[in-house]
Amino acid sequence: MGMPFEERLGGDIKHAEHALMQAKQQAVRPAGLTVAQYATLLVLSENPGVSAAELARKCRVTPQTMTTILRNLEAGGLIARVPHEVHRNVLETRLTEAGRSTFETADVRASAVERRLADEFSEEERVTLRALLARAVTALGGE
């Protein structure tokens, strides 16, 4: 075997990611959302009118997955997709009033998860952790 399990950083990263996703899922579930749907609403709240392709990039999912997420959010009345004023082939996606309300409800709880995580580290440690994670992404050939 090339490397013992205990020395592999991937398992530690996956464990932390899994814990974060579980905590966020528990946080957003009462609002009727999945973590992916919540992330989409978060991006839309900060970038109204963004395209589906950009949403997929920002949420780190495939375009096909984003299409499914958007269909479900639209069916639930949480978003509206309308043709761009100039580029009619481009659909702009925006939160509806129900979408904004649902997002705000979920965001209170999801933000508390993020706050709980951040509070475990000093400001210096948070900066270091972000730098280390960015180096890991670069080392693995990511963005």
Side-chain angles (χ1 to χ4, degrees):
M1 179 157 71
M3 181 181 229
F5 180 78
E6 298 79 27
E7 293 178 17
R8 295 175 186 237
L9 294 175
D12 296 314
I13 293 169
K14 182 67 176 172
H15 190 203
E17 179 197 26
H18 182 72
L20 176 61
M21 290 302 104
Q22 277 191 311
K24 278 196 173 179
Q25 186 58 52
Q26 289 175 356
V28 302
R29 185 179 297 131
L33 298 174
T34 65
V35 174
Q37 290 170 331
Y38 165 75
T40 301
L41 296 180
L42 173 62
V43 171
L44 284 171
S45 74
E46 295 180 356
N47 303 279
V50 68
S51 70
E54 185 63 17
L55 271 171
R57 280 189 291 279
K58 287 183 179 288
C59 292
R60 292 176 170 69
V61 298
T62 66
Q64 295 83 358
T65 298
M66 184 52 66
T67 297
T68 301
I69 293 168
L70 291 174
R71 268 195 215 123
N72 290 335
L73 290 172
E74 190 171 29
L78 302 181
I79 62 165
R81 300 178 76 199
V82 295
H84 187 278
E85 288 182 19
V86 176
H87 306 288
R88 289 294 182 195
N89 293 339
V90 175
L91 289 177
E92 289 188 328
T93 307
R94 296 183 184 278
L95 295 177
T96 61
E97 285 302 314
R100 179 152 309 282
S101 175
T102 298
F103 165 72
E104 288 172 357
T105 298
D107 193 49
V108 168
R109 295 173 55 99
S111 293
V113 170
E114 291 283 353
R115 222 174 284 111
R116 191 169 78 227
L117 176 60
D119 287 348
E120 285 298 311
F121 303 95
S122 69
E123 179 61 30
E124 183 179 327
E125 288 172 324
R126 286 191 298 271
V127 169
T128 299
L129 179 57
R130 282 193 168 107
L132 292 170
L133 290 170
R135 276 178 45 199
V137 169
T138 300
L140 296 170
E143 325 170 345

